[in-house]
Amino acid sequence: MKKMLTIFGRDVRVNMKNFMAVFIILFPIVMAIGINLFTPGINDTTVNLALLSKDTEMAAYYEDFAKVETFATQGEVENRVAQRDNVVGILPEENGNYYILTQGNEPKEAVVEYAQVLKALYELDAQVADSNAVLHNFGKTVPPLKNTLVNAMILMISILGGMLISLNIVEEKMDNTVSAINVAPISRTAWVFGKSLMGLLLPLVGSFALVLITGFTYINFLQLAAVVVASALISIIVGFVQGLNADDMMTAVAGIKMMMLPMIGSVIGAELVSQKWQWCFYWSPFYWMYKANGIVLSGAGEWPKLLLDTGLVLVITALIFAYQAPRIRKGLEKV
Amino acid sequence: MIKVEGLYHSYNRDGDYAVKNASFEVPKGEVFGFLGPSGAGKSTTQGILTGLLRLQEGKVNVAGYDVKELKRSMFNKIGMSFEQSNVYSALTARENLRFYSKLFDVPTEDPDTLLKLVGLFDVADKKAGEFSKGMKHRLTFARSMMNNPELWFLDEPTTGLDPAIAATIKEIVREKNKQGVTIFLTTHNMYIADELCNRVAFIVDGEIKLIDSPRNLKLQYGQNLVDVEYGDGGSLKKETFSTVDERDIKKLQELIGRKHIATMHTKEATLEEIFIKVTGRELV
Ligand SMILES: Nc1ncnc2c1ncn2[C@@H]1O[C@H](COP(=O)(O)OP(=O)(O)O)[C@@H](O)[C@H]1O
Ligand SMILES: [Mg+2]
């Protein structure tokens, strides 16, 4: 165990000196910031309403469902709406009815329609207590694009873990240092696990950083950890296979990059292909990872469904492992 | 310390043997040399002894361990310096040694002590990737001493090094042996074998031709000769006498009695000459 950490610690030390490895390690954080810049954050899309301060009764009602700011004059409300973030104004018309004022660039589904629904509910004088529906997704104000991006990034990060593993194995091969390890009192198993640790920890730390930075603070992190660990196993296996079979870093990286095709394909398939054809993607572990991550990111906490999807990921992983095990064993004997 | 019986090894398991029917024993405290031209099977034998190559046929016991069922704890007792240096290019000399020291279950040397010993202390914080070949070799050599091994394997420890460094390494080997370390050394350099080894094995084409001490070999195979220069009527004459042949000895004695001897050099047969005589092969 201690020696396993020694192996891992050495890999970390070497990776911190290598530009490509540092880039891979920082990638999740860079992506998180990128996602925040290009898609509205969760807080931005918690619908912000701008009202006139005289409409106190209306403000009190909306406050249960949205962030409400009040202004003295119609002009001030209009100024507020015109600012960059997503604020929707609700203002009285001459005839006493209220209308919705938007800037035009707000996400229609998440912000404007939500505001319209709220307005309608207020006008009907509907109360939460009146509803007998279980409000599962109430408060799910994350735009689907952001959800998809974060989900796909989590898959991407686990692939990057495999890429680091393969880089670290190629390094040992190029320096021919495995023979030195072989005449030290450390077991092959400890070495393999030590080398694998990176493929587990990078995805875990990276995904946690990613969801926290992008604002998915309400999710069940235990669920996220479960899905990420299950997803990382495939990358670890592929990382080893590529590392053991490649003779230089570039070949290893190219080999790992091949994993991105089925990954991206599965994400697109899950998102865009009609329900009737979804079965076409059932073979892909990434498809099930994506589904499982979707459940996690929704924050809805459906363990049974989550465990089913994660279980399928593990089953496919086991099949891949069974198929690759001889190659790995042979590769390990050679190094 | 080492006991080998009927060792065979075929890389492709095709009956083409890199090592054939090798048998030998190395007692505790000895410096045992494996001498032979390159490609003779020295590294292969050492690879099997250190568990780097799987034992195919024969019995091998190393430091009390049966190599057939290799136990990792054996490596707490042995050290191995490789012919081809193999250190992490991305790590500094000190980091290389520090990392390696953490793999042992026994007390290890201080990395800096070892670096000083092989003359690398000044570059301890330099990446090994920037080292010259000789420096990398010394680092590999230093690493093999990390766990203060009882049994020390050295594969071509001085090959390709400049003479000053080679001398340092020889000195360290001698010192370690004085401390009781058993040493298994492979080389195709007969000077090293002659200087360092208590006994040598001549190995050619995977077969051990003989095992004996360099001194015995010289007594047995080497015809010791003496070159004499002496004054004879104003001019300087030169003659070579055998120290074994009875008539030569007599003539030499007469010469010393009657003539003025200018110079007299004994000329020993070298281990190389003996090697050629025994195996019919050169040591290259
Ligand atoms: N990995 C290998 N695969 C196949 N043949 C090898 C391998 N290593 C060495 N050999 C062959 O085995 C023989 C002995 O090699 P080696 O033990 O390295 O010799 P030495 O150390 O005495 O120079 C040589 O003929 C060499 O070509
Ligand atoms: Mg050799």
Side-chain angles (χ1 to χ4, degrees):
Chain A
M1 181 65 196
K2 201 187 102 238
K3 291 176 189 174
M4 205 171 92
L5 292 178
T6 301
I7 300 288
F8 172 67
R10 194 214 69 89
D11 281 355
V12 172
R13 188 181 277 267
V14 169
N15 290 154
M16 294 319 277
K17 295 183 187 184
N18 177 300
F19 177 77
M20 185 151 63
V22 169
F23 179 77
I24 290 174
I25 290 170
L26 293 182
F27 185 81
I29 292 170
V30 174
M31 281 325 285
I33 294 168
I35 290 174
N36 273 352
L37 285 179
F38 290 107
T39 64
I42 286 176
N43 293 334
D44 289 349
T45 54
T46 297
V47 174
N48 292 292
L49 299 177
L51 306 178
L52 290 176
S53 26
K54 68 178 173 67
D55 293 323
T56 46
E57 190 199 337
M58 196 161 80
Y61 181 86
Y62 287 145
E63 245 156 20
D64 284 343
F65 309 103
K67 247 191 207 160
V68 177
E69 294 173 53
T70 56
F71 299 90
T73 67
Q74 194 140 341
E76 280 176 60
V77 171
E78 282 164 14
N79 283 341
R80 183 67 191 85
V81 171
Q83 281 174 25
R84 200 191 60 85
D85 55 351
N86 296 315
V87 179
V88 176
I90 298 183
L91 292 168
E93 283 178 287
E94 314 276 309
N95 57 16
N97 285 336
Y98 281 78
Y99 68 96
I100 290 179
L101 173 71
T102 67
Q103 187 188 0
N105 66 351
E106 293 83 0
K108 189 166 176 304
E109 183 186 332
V111 179
V112 182
E113 288 177 1
Y114 185 77
Q116 281 168 345
V117 169
L118 277 186
K119 179 170 164 286
L121 286 172
Y122 172 69
E123 279 156 11
L124 292 169
D125 196 24
Q127 297 298 326
V128 175
D130 296 339
S131 166
N132 55 7
V134 184
L135 297 180
H136 263 317
N137 286 332
F138 202 88
K140 182 193 165 187
T141 49
V142 186
L145 176 64
K146 180 166 193 169
N147 221 320
T148 300
L149 282 177
V150 170
N151 192 334
M153 263 328 129
I154 294 175
L155 304 188
M156 175 81 170
I157 294 168
S158 81
I159 294 178
L160 291 178
M163 193 178 279
L164 268 192
I165 290 179
S166 69
L167 286 181
N168 290 333
I169 290 176
V170 169
E171 183 221 359
E172 297 250 10
K173 274 174 46 169
M174 280 168 40
D175 284 339
N176 193 23
T177 38
V178 183
S179 50
I181 301 283
N182 283 344
V183 293
I186 170 176
S187 68
R188 206 4 96 81
T189 318
W191 185 79
V192 168
F193 278 106
K195 284 275 170 205
S196 305
L197 221 46
M198 186 64 92
L200 209 54
L201 287 186
L202 178 78
L204 271 178
V205 175
S207 321
F208 275 54
L210 176 73
V211 295
L212 287 177
I213 295 172
T214 48
F216 289 81
T217 46
Y218 54 80
I219 62 167
N220 182 334
F221 282 87
L222 192 65
Q223 290 182 341
L224 179 66
V227 179
V228 168
V229 168
S231 312
L233 297 178
I234 288 179
S235 305
I236 292 173
I237 294 168
V238 177
F240 264 90
V241 171
Q242 292 300 328
L244 291 170
N245 289 298
D247 288 324
D248 60 84
M249 304 248 171
M250 282 307 145
T251 317
V253 169
I256 300 287
K257 277 202 288 205
M258 292 302 291
M259 281 176 84
M260 294 192 187
L261 283 177
M263 188 273 276
I264 293 167
S266 303
V267 170
I268 292 173
E271 279 297 326
L272 298 180
V273 174
S274 74
Q275 203 59 39
K276 204 170 73 183
W277 295 102
Q278 289 286 308
W279 59 268
C280 293
F281 299 94
Y282 286 0
W283 60 270
S284 164
F286 298 107
Y287 177 83
W288 300 109
M289 289 176 204
Y290 186 76
K291 290 271 172 198
N293 278 332
I295 296 171
V296 173
L297 292 179
S298 77
E302 302 163 36
W303 273 106
K305 182 83 181 62
L306 184 82
L307 290 179
L308 177 67
D309 289 351
T310 313
L312 285 166
V313 172
L314 290 177
V315 167
I316 298 170
T317 305
L319 291 177
I320 293 175
F321 182 70
Y323 176 68
Q324 293 287 3
R327 258 181 105 189
I328 296 179
R329 194 169 307 131
K330 235 169 96 197
L332 282 174
E333 265 169 31
K334 257 196 340 222
V335 293
Chain B
M1 210 53 162
I2 301 177
K3 192 165 182 212
V4 175
E5 259 178 62
L7 177 66
Y8 286 84
H9 192 87
S10 168
Y11 277 100
N12 302 315
R13 290 181 176 271
D14 55 0
D16 188 7
Y17 289 103
V19 177
K20 281 177 252 186
N21 196 20
S23 300
F24 58 91
E25 276 185 52
V26 181
K28 196 168 164 46
E30 185 173 78
V31 183
F32 185 79
F34 237 46
L35 184 65
S38 60
K42 306 183 294 293
S43 297
T44 305
T45 307
Q46 199 173 69
I48 299 163
L49 265 50
T50 53
L52 285 171
L53 293 171
R54 197 177 295 240
L55 176 63
Q56 293 176 350
E57 212 183 317
K59 277 192 196 155
V60 178
N61 190 293
V62 169
Y65 290 85
D66 184 351
V67 169
K68 189 96 209 166
E69 288 129 36
L70 203 62
K71 294 233 173 27
R72 302 309 300 175
S73 59
M74 176 177 100
F75 297 104
N76 284 315
K77 291 187 172 188
I78 72 174
M80 163 88 184
S81 182
F82 293 82
E83 180 175 6
Q84 311 277 330
S85 49
N86 53 355
V87 290
Y88 294 106
S89 307
L91 295 182
T92 67
R94 188 184 281 123
E95 285 170 341
N96 261 293
L97 295 187
R98 196 165 287 158
F99 162 72
Y100 206 67
S101 72
K102 290 185 197 148
L103 300 179
F104 292 95
D105 313 308
V106 290
T108 48
E109 273 297 345
D110 172 37
D112 285 355
T113 312
L114 292 177
L115 289 173
K116 275 178 199 150
L117 199 61
V118 297
L120 288 177
F121 184 64
D122 293 341
V123 287
D125 294 318
K126 215 168 145 178
K127 275 189 191 177
E130 294 162 22
F131 279 8
S132 70
K133 227 178 134 210
M135 289 158 89
K136 280 187 196 164
H137 189 92
R138 277 184 277 162
L139 186 56
T140 306
F141 179 79
R143 186 182 60 197
S144 71
M145 289 184 268
M146 200 74 234
N147 54 329
N148 285 307
E150 298 172 25
L151 174 58
W152 197 15
F153 290 92
L154 302 173
D155 198 349
E156 308 277 1
T158 59
T159 301
L161 297 184
D162 73 56
I165 297 167
T168 314
I169 290 207
K170 273 188 274 186
E171 206 35 62
I172 295 170
V173 172
R174 250 189 227 112
E175 186 53 41
K176 282 276 167 195
N177 180 239
K178 236 185 253 167
Q179 292 164 15
V181 177
T182 311
I183 294 164
F184 183 95
L185 182 154
T186 78
T187 182
H188 64 263
N189 180 322
M190 56 122 181
Y191 294 107
I192 300 292
D194 200 355
E195 281 175 79
L196 291 177
C197 298
N198 303 114
R199 287 190 308 146
V200 293
F202 285 179
I203 175 165
V204 171
D205 296 336
E207 286 180 83
I208 295 179
K209 298 295 182 186
L210 66 73
I211 301 176
D212 211 335
S213 69
R215 230 172 66 124
N216 278 348
L217 287 171
K218 282 178 204 163
L219 286 176
Q220 201 179 333
Y221 292 91
Q223 203 181 21
N224 288 356
L225 306 171
V226 186
D227 280 338
V228 182
E229 282 182 322
Y230 59 93
D232 185 26
S235 68
L236 208 58
K237 279 200 175 162
K238 195 176 162 185
E239 237 176 298
T240 302
F241 302 93
S242 163
T243 57
V244 193
D245 188 271
E246 288 294 329
R247 277 185 307 167
D248 269 21
I249 294 171
K250 245 198 188 114
K251 267 165 82 182
L252 186 59
Q253 281 168 342
E254 276 174 31
L255 200 68
I256 294 168
R258 287 190 282 112
K259 306 279 183 191
H260 171 70
I261 307 292
T263 62
M264 193 158 108
H265 293 288
T266 55
K267 204 173 81 174
E268 276 191 325
T270 63
L271 214 48
E272 180 154 31
E273 283 163 342
I274 299 169
F275 190 93
I276 294 167
K277 210 168 197 171
V278 171
T279 66
R281 294 281 285 272
E282 306 239 349
L283 265 179
V284 279

